Amino acid sequence: MKWFAAVLIAAVVVGIGIALWVRLAPTDPSRWHVAPLVRQDHDYAAGVIRAVPGTAEDLERLDAIIRATPRTVHLAGSLDEGMLSYVTRSAFWGFPDYTTVVLRGDTLIIHARLRFGRSDMGVNKARVSRWLDQLGRDA
C-alpha cells in the first residue's frame, strides 16, 4: 500500500510540474514571430496555414478579431510591419498556440501552430476558421 501512495504522490508532483511548465515556460518572440514559408493552404497535425485574399484594412480587422479572442495576447509585430504574432492559451491547461499573420501583397497568410505535443486535435484549424468567418472569408 505504501508503494501505491508513493507512486500516486509522484504522479501528482510530476503532473503539477508539467502543468506549471506549460503555463510558465518563457516565450521567445524571435522563435514564433516568423513569416510562414508556405504561401498556400496547408493542414498538418500541429497546426494550419491559410492563405486568403486580403488588404491592409483586412489585416487591421483580423488583428482586432484575434485580440478579442479569449486567452489571446499580442506577442510581436505591428500593422505597419505587416506581420503580427499572437499567443492563445487553452482554457484548462494553458497550452500555448502561436499564430502569425502576414500580409504579402494582396494575400493574408495565417499560420497557427502548437508549441507542446505532436497534435493540436484540430484546435488551431477551428480557431482560424472562426476568425476567417468573422472576417468574411472562406476558411
Side-chain angles (χ1 to χ4, degrees):
M1 197 53 103
K2 287 183 182 181
W3 66 268
F4 179 75
V7 169
L8 184 60
I9 289 170
V12 168
V13 169
V14 168
I16 290 171
I18 291 170
L20 286 173
W21 175 250
V22 164
R23 285 195 176 266
L24 302 176
T27 295
D28 178 4
S30 67
R31 179 177 175 197
W32 299 102
H33 184 61
V34 184
L37 298 176
V38 176
R39 297 178 184 203
Q40 59 195 22
D41 289 357
H42 180 68
D43 294 359
Y44 57 105
V48 65
I49 296 175
R50 289 292 178 262
V52 298
T55 64
E57 292 79 22
D58 292 325
L59 178 62
E60 187 173 355
R61 288 180 44 228
L62 186 57
D63 175 52
I65 290 166
I66 294 172
R67 288 177 190 249
T69 302
R71 300 173 310 282
T72 300
V73 296
H74 175 252
L75 176 65
S78 68
L79 291 170
D80 291 337
E81 180 185 337
M83 183 167 86
L84 298 118
S85 293
Y86 312 86
V87 181
T88 304
R89 292 192 173 270
S90 63
F92 184 74
W93 287 106
F95 281 101
D97 289 328
Y98 295 86
T99 303
T100 301
V101 180
V102 181
L103 179 62
R104 286 200 184 120
D106 61 354
T107 303
L108 282 173
I109 302 168
I110 305 163
H111 183 202
R113 64 263 192 220
L114 58 74
R115 176 173 180 178
F116 298 108
R118 292 188 180 149
S119 173
D120 69 0
M121 301 187 309
V123 170
N124 282 299
K125 181 178 180 179
R127 183 183 308 115
V128 169
S129 292
R130 284 192 305 274
W131 290 341
L132 291 174
D133 285 346
Q134 290 177 32
L135 188 63
R137 298 292 189 281
D138 290 331

